[in-house]
Amino acid sequence: MQLSEQEIVRRDKLVKLRELGINPYPADLYPVKDTSKSIKKDFKEEKKVVIAGRLMSRRIQGNASFAELQDAEGRIQVYFNRDEICVDEDKSKYNNIYKKLLDIGDFIGIEGELFTTKVGEKSVRVKDFSLLSKALKPLPLPRTDADGNVHDAFTDPEQRYRQRYADLVVNPHVKEVFVKRTKLFNAMRQFFNDAGYFEVETPVLQPIPGGAAARPFMTHHNALDIPLYMRIANELYLKRLIVGGFDGVYEFSKNFRNEGMDRTHNPEFTAMEIYVAYKDYNWMMDFCERLLEYCAMAVNGTTKARFGDHEIDFKAPYARVTMADSIKHFTGFDITGKTEDEIRQAAKNLGVEVDATMGKGKLIDEIFGEKCEGNYIQPTYITDYPKEMSPLCKEHRDNPELTERFELMVCGKEIANAYSELNDPIDQRERFEHQLKLAAKGDDEATEFIDYDFLRALEYGMPPTSGMGIGMDRLIMFLTNNQSIQEVLFFPQMRPEKKAIAISDDAKTVFEILKKAEKLELVSLKSQSGLSNKKWDKTIKELTKNNLAKVEKTDEGLFVGMF
């Protein structure tokens, strides 16, 4: 492990602390009684307090020092005075331990009294302090110059997601996103519980991946010598519980899908699914909009939320548009009664990319996704999907080609999906078999499995039921104005971290220029680097050898790009 100069210095301080008989990682309890927030809220001059947190800044001026302590509630100013801390002749606790052996990022405990500074800031006068944990790596703290410009801010998304622990410390506003995430879960749970529905848990490891069309993660159980799949959805298990006699069940489930990653998809995500007996999708639409209005108020104190350039309003009721009407409105093509070949030709005419593996449902889905979906900014229900798109959904009571299904669209993205659930076991078996044919044809979104135990459960009888799933990660994105799912996950999945490569200062300079542009004309990059011909040749060879840059020849000339 290669240590930086600062890391070496901090380790030296660690040794010196131990030589002084100070344990830098004490095991005993520290009697915290106050927080930065409670101190400010119930401030009283000379009040005795005991707080703990990270040392985040300090200004040492001889025998006195102002510093900032950060705890889970925020920051508070603390004042160290040598003679207040060291009342006897021995001043080493202040002169040596505080001034020389403590660092920014260390956890300390403080006993003190409250006072107000001359400029009116509520502060803690330190009477005694204890080292609770020594930080060996310096925090990536931003610095502000004399003109107020901020430098070295910890803003690189990849670094922030990899080191969320550091992100939360140096970018405290990030914590608010996760506070709101928890508020969302609590509000939704409260809404369901008040309605009399029962929270349950279903298996994460499943013998058959069902309940959705997605590629699963697979593992092997050694004792049983069978393959198992990580849950892609919990739908079929929750329906089994409705068969078993529960009138309403819900679950916040971790689901896993072995598919692509982008700004709105992570291979591990959280979904909420709820199933209520004796209801249909019309009832669920009313229930859903009341639920989301309640949750928006609980999270933000208003039904309105800013998302990018849009202000969205979760106040009920929401607009309702059939899928056929939506496609007809935005494309002029009416899918009603059309054959698969007619829909395929229409898709081609509309410039929608299609292939031979796509069945009727997939073709309609592609047309809707390309031409319609992005137009729905305010919460809007898209209803009555073609039967081919919904293998677990009940046939529409008025049109046998459709199903009783809706999806809720917000800012062009789906955040809820709901059905009048299919409870006819014979129809369900036929739908599953049709999915197998589509999978054999090459449709990678069709299910390749039939869950015969689920069919058996349906044969015992399931009452009329409506079910709904909500993508919790996507919903909190909308409620906190975050465009990327990685911003609302504490620890999003990342590519393996590349090992640090030792390169020359010249190579670092050129790499930083390239990093900002991603791709530059070779002549331009060379000019910006300011290197001589000899140094430039050496530097570009160093970057390409270490797979940090690549030189490409195009019709427009030579370009250097990120590897």
Side-chain angles (χ1 to χ4, degrees):
M1 181 174 64
Q2 199 170 26
L3 299 177
S4 68
E5 184 179 345
Q6 284 197 54
E7 288 172 313
I8 293 169
V9 169
R10 287 181 180 230
R11 279 164 170 74
D12 289 342
K13 291 180 180 181
L14 191 73
V15 172
K16 290 174 182 175
L17 284 164
R18 286 184 166 135
E19 288 173 350
L20 291 171
I22 297 171
N23 183 353
Y25 306 104
D28 49 323
L29 170 150
Y30 190 79
V32 178
K33 296 178 182 176
D34 308 277
T35 67
S36 59
K37 187 176 180 179
S38 69
I39 286 172
K40 293 171 184 176
K41 183 180 178 182
D42 302 316
F43 187 84
K44 186 179 178 182
E45 294 285 341
E46 304 302 322
K47 179 182 177 182
K48 289 182 169 51
V49 295
V50 181
I51 60 173
R54 262 186 211 275
L55 193 62
M56 294 299 290
S57 70
R58 58 179 179 170
R59 304 181 302 279
I60 298 175
Q61 298 172 326
N63 296 337
S65 171
F66 279 102
E68 275 188 307
L69 195 75
Q70 179 171 297
D71 62 13
E73 303 286 352
R75 291 190 184 188
I76 187 77
Q77 180 170 274
V78 292
Y79 174 65
F80 289 81
N81 182 287
R82 186 191 67 181
D83 296 329
E84 293 272 359
I85 295 167
C86 310
V87 293
D88 298 325
E89 290 185 11
D90 183 2
K91 307 298 183 183
S92 60
K93 185 160 190 174
Y94 179 85
N95 290 337
N96 294 333
I97 298 172
Y98 174 72
K99 289 177 68 173
K100 298 178 180 179
L101 300 181
L102 291 192
D103 288 294
I104 302 302
D106 290 352
F107 278 92
I108 60 174
I110 287 175
E111 297 175 43
E113 296 176 349
L114 302 185
F115 78 105
T116 306
T117 65
K118 292 178 181 178
V119 296
E121 185 161 357
K122 296 172 180 177
S123 307
V124 180
R125 181 183 293 109
V126 180
K127 293 294 185 180
D128 195 13
F129 69 90
S130 304
L131 176 61
L132 304 179
S133 181
K134 182 70 182 166
L136 299 184
K137 185 179 284 292
L139 290 167
L141 286 166
R143 56 186 178 84
T144 306
D145 63 23
D147 297 324
N149 299 312
V150 177
H151 302 274
D152 303 325
F154 193 56
T155 55
D156 179 21
E158 182 164 336
Q159 290 300 313
R160 289 179 49 241
Y161 304 153
R162 287 191 191 282
Q163 301 181 46
R164 183 67 84 186
Y165 37 86
D167 185 32
L168 290 165
V169 175
V170 303
N171 296 318
H173 63 277
V174 171
K175 186 177 179 181
E176 183 59 28
V177 172
F178 296 98
V179 170
K180 287 186 174 184
R181 183 185 173 103
T182 295
K183 285 182 179 179
L184 172 62
F185 279 76
N186 289 344
M188 197 171 281
R189 184 175 277 116
Q190 186 68 49
F191 192 87
F192 295 151
N193 291 346
D194 289 346
Y197 305 136
F198 193 64
E199 185 171 10
V200 298
E201 292 180 299
T202 61
V204 173
L205 290 174
Q206 302 178 352
I208 293 175
R215 186 178 294 112
F217 288 93
M218 185 176 177
T219 187
H220 185 84
H221 191 286
N222 291 335
L224 295 176
D225 193 24
I226 58 170
L228 288 174
Y229 301 87
M230 295 187 75
R231 173 171 58 197
I232 59 173
N234 54 354
E235 176 170 344
L236 302 187
Y237 284 92
L238 292 175
K239 287 181 183 176
R240 285 172 169 94
L241 297 179
I242 297 295
V243 171
F246 286 95
D247 280 349
V249 292
Y250 70 93
E251 180 178 17
F252 294 100
S253 65
K254 282 288 188 183
N255 296 344
F256 306 85
R257 298 185 181 178
N258 195 359
E259 297 174 338
M261 294 169 57
D262 58 32
R263 293 174 68 83
T264 59
H265 294 88
N266 193 66
E268 174 184 350
F269 64 97
T270 304
M272 183 290 304
E273 292 205 26
I274 182 167
Y275 293 82
V276 186
Y278 313 111
K279 310 297 183 187
D280 67 1
Y281 80 137
N282 293 310
W283 176 90
M284 189 61 83
M285 276 188 266
D286 295 335
F287 183 78
C288 176
E289 59 195 19
R290 287 189 288 111
L291 167 69
L292 294 185
E293 180 179 330
Y294 178 86
C295 289
M297 287 296 297
V299 172
N300 289 326
T302 173
T303 60
K304 295 180 179 179
R306 170 64 57 180
F307 188 73
D309 296 331
H310 305 292
E311 183 180 75
I312 49 181
D313 194 345
F314 285 98
K315 186 170 180 59
Y318 303 158
R320 304 181 185 193
V321 182
T322 69
M323 174 162 278
D325 285 346
S326 177
I327 291 175
K328 187 175 181 180
H329 175 75
F330 289 109
T331 70
F333 178 70
D334 189 352
I335 63 172
T336 307
K338 297 297 192 296
T339 65
E340 182 178 313
D341 288 341
E342 287 173 321
I343 294 171
R344 178 175 281 105
Q345 187 58 52
K348 290 177 181 177
N349 294 343
L350 291 166
V352 177
E353 197 172 315
V354 298
D355 60 55
T357 69
M358 294 179 179
K360 187 175 179 180
K362 186 69 181 296
L363 290 166
I364 293 170
D365 192 29
E366 288 296 309
I367 293 172
F368 178 77
E370 285 284 327
K371 302 297 180 180
C372 310
E373 193 173 70
N375 296 295
Y376 296 105
I377 304 303
Q378 296 304 321
T380 304
Y381 292 122
I382 304 300
T383 68
D384 301 349
Y385 281 55
K387 186 183 287 186
E388 293 83 358
M389 294 177 66
S390 312
L392 297 167
C393 187
K394 184 171 283 189
E395 183 180 284
H396 198 285
R397 66 196 78 179
D398 298 324
N399 186 338
E401 290 191 358
L402 304 177
T403 56
E404 297 198 346
R405 173 185 178 185
F406 72 79
E407 286 188 331
L408 178 62
M409 298 291 167
V410 177
C411 289
K413 298 291 182 183
E414 171 223 332
I415 61 170
N417 186 20
Y419 306 157
S420 293
E421 299 296 335
L422 180 58
N423 60 346
D424 178 341
I426 295 173
D427 189 0
Q428 181 65 84
R429 184 182 294 269
E430 290 173 353
R431 303 268 197 101
F432 279 157
E433 288 170 350
H434 180 66
Q435 286 286 301
L436 287 183
K437 291 176 183 176
L438 291 177
K441 190 178 174 182
D443 186 342
D444 60 0
E445 290 192 4
T447 180
E448 301 177 54
F449 302 89
I450 293 181
D451 189 336
Y452 290 103
D453 179 69
F454 174 66
L455 291 174
R456 178 169 58 190
L458 285 187
E459 288 172 354
Y460 280 107
M462 185 176 86
T465 298
S466 184
M468 176 175 65
I470 292 178
M472 299 300 290
D473 306 316
R474 193 171 289 179
L475 178 55
I476 198 60
M477 286 170 62
F478 288 122
L479 291 172
T480 59
N481 195 14
N482 277 297
Q483 309 289 316
S484 170
I485 194 172
Q486 286 85 3
E487 291 289 353
V488 300
L489 301 174
F490 270 131
F491 305 106
Q493 193 64 45
M494 304 290 290
R495 294 184 185 279
E497 191 170 7
K498 292 181 179 179
K499 291 183 179 179
I501 300 171
I503 57 176
S504 67
D505 289 341
D506 287 340
K508 287 178 184 176
T509 300
V510 174
F511 184 70
E512 286 303 315
I513 296 169
L514 190 58
K515 196 174 176 183
K516 291 175 183 175
E518 291 192 2
K519 190 174 183 180
L520 276 174
E521 202 171 357
L522 187 142
V523 175
S524 175
L525 181 59
K526 181 182 176 183
S527 174
Q528 289 184 48
S529 72
L531 297 175
S532 65
N533 288 337
K534 187 175 181 180
K535 281 190 173 183
W536 166 257
D537 290 341
K538 184 179 178 182
T539 299
I540 199 67
K541 285 178 182 177
E542 183 181 358
L543 288 171
T544 53
K545 181 182 177 183
N546 286 299
N547 292 329
L548 295 173
K550 55 184 176 181
V551 179
E552 297 174 307
K553 187 175 182 180
T554 71
D555 294 338
E556 298 172 352
L558 285 174
F559 286 83
V560 183
M562 300 282 288
F563 200 87

